[in-house]
Amino acid sequence: FNPNQEYKGTIFRLPFRKNPSDISSTVYDSHTVMELLGNLENHSSEIILFLRHVKRITFSRFDNSSKCPTVLARIEKQSLCSFPGTGAVMCKVTNMNSAGVASSNAWLIATTEKQIAAKYATSSVACPLKECNGKYQVCSCEGESFCFLPLAKTTGLPVHISSNFAVSSNRRGIWTDDGSQGVPALEAQ
């Protein structure tokens, strides 16, 4: 990235606070930032799954002595193939961790979109794939709920699910019909 040239993409710069301020009293020391990096690495395959327009997440550090950032972690999603008319796509998520070690996971993601009244609804399901002799097999996972990003709530399903749920302001729960927080019960139809 060069601030003097046009950049085709979006950059989110997170300036971690070294001192408390009127906005927040949270202070990020090097230990806290490394914990964030560890969390990113632990959930790297899932964090980018349902983000439709985000293809890469890079976690970098800028040192005062260097003009170029040091890349600490990178997550990249690449579409391998799509299945026309189904809303399904097979993709590969590659993670390069802070030690420079890369790993990849393949996923099958099916998405449906619908406009209901004046609201736009999107729902997706993702399951991990395992490559064996040039073919992919569907695997199960400990299913979690997502509202594009992980909500840290397991569903009991063998797949991850994502929808534009009504989430609490801290993204720790999904609002249910009775106004309480939790993961809504799944009803068979």
Side-chain angles (χ1 to χ4, degrees):
F1 170 72
N2 181 342
N4 299 321
Q5 296 177 352
E6 183 180 346
Y7 180 75
K8 294 186 187 223
T10 304
I11 294 177
F12 294 91
R13 182 176 179 272
L14 305 174
F16 295 122
R17 188 173 285 105
K18 294 180 182 179
N19 299 306
S21 72
D22 292 338
I23 297 171
S24 175
S25 61
T26 304
V27 176
Y28 292 88
D29 58 13
S30 59
H31 176 73
T32 308
V33 172
M34 294 314 285
E35 280 182 355
L36 287 171
L37 176 60
N39 286 335
L40 178 70
E41 289 177 342
N42 291 338
H43 302 285
S44 62
S45 185
E46 288 90 5
I47 200 166
I48 201 169
L49 273 181
F50 298 110
L51 300 177
R52 296 179 61 191
H53 302 288
V54 176
K55 305 296 182 209
R56 182 178 358 153
I57 298 172
T58 306
F59 193 102
S60 302
R61 178 182 62 219
F62 283 90
D63 292 324
N64 292 336
S65 61
S66 175
K67 291 185 178 182
C68 295
T70 302
V71 175
L72 300 177
R74 176 175 289 178
I75 306 163
E76 200 160 340
K77 181 172 68 174
Q78 174 187 11
S79 178
L80 298 176
C81 68
S82 62
F83 305 94
T86 66
V89 64
M90 190 168 77
C91 67
K92 178 172 75 170
V93 177
T94 303
N95 171 37
M96 186 204 59
N97 65 20
S98 54
V101 177
S103 62
S104 296
N105 297 13
W107 292 86
L108 180 62
I109 304 169
T111 301
T112 185
E113 301 168 335
K114 192 171 192 175
Q115 186 166 343
I116 302 171
K119 297 181 181 179
Y120 187 72
T122 300
S123 296
S124 301
V125 176
C127 63
L129 299 172
K130 180 174 131 182
E131 186 176 4
C132 185
N133 297 327
K135 296 182 181 181
Y136 289 92
Q137 296 176 328
V138 174
C139 301
S140 63
C141 62
E142 186 176 339
E144 292 186 25
S145 56
F146 290 68
C147 184
F148 305 103
L149 290 169
L151 293 173
K153 296 284 184 187
T154 58
T155 63
L157 298 172
V159 295
H160 294 317
I161 61 170
S162 178
S163 190
N164 42 348
F165 295 116
V167 296
S168 59
S169 61
N170 64 6
R171 293 186 52 86
R172 295 188 191 268
I174 298 172
W175 289 98
T176 60
D177 285 344
D178 64 3
S180 66
Q181 291 184 32
V183 176
L186 300 172
E187 298 177 16
Q189 295 192 13

